[in-house]
Amino acid sequence: ATVEATEERLREVTKVQEVLAKIPPPQRDALKMSAIGVPYSIIAELTHTPIGTIKSRIHSARNMFRRLYEAATSQAAAA
């Protein structure tokens, strides 16, 4: 990989981390567990939360992430 590609990848990782930090912890935690393949039922057990709430949290977190990531991307492009 070139230095430029590595720097771009680092900027992308940083942007993702910054966006994730803006999502409330219950939604963020459920999203992160789901992203690594933990089944909803296990997330519900681990967090002592009804599965319907887990599904709602993940749905909300995905929407928040998408919106915040797009905003961060458009801000970076404008800079």
Side-chain angles (χ1 to χ4, degrees), residues 40 50-60 62:
Y40 289 3
I51 195 164
T53 302
I54 294 303
K55 291 178 180 180
S56 176
R57 286 178 179 173
I58 292 169
H59 178 77
S60 296
R62 285 180 178 148

Side-chain angles (χ1 to χ4, degrees), residues 20 27-38:
L20 284 172
Q27 285 85 356
R28 181 178 58 232
D29 294 344
L31 178 64
K32 288 166 72 175
M33 285 189 269
S34 174
I36 62 169
V38 179

Side-chain angles (χ1 to χ4, degrees), residues 15 18-19 22 67-79:
K15 184 173 21 174
E18 289 171 354
V19 167
K22 294 177 182 177
R67 184 174 33 84
L68 292 166
Y69 184 84
E70 289 171 357
T73 301
S74 60
Q75 286 175 356

Side-chain angles (χ1 to χ4, degrees), residues 5 13 17-18 23 43 47-48 59 65 70 72 75:
V13 168
Q17 290 173 333
E18 289 171 354
I23 297 174
I43 297 170
T47 60
H48 308 286
H59 178 77
F65 183 89
E70 289 171 357
Q75 286 175 356

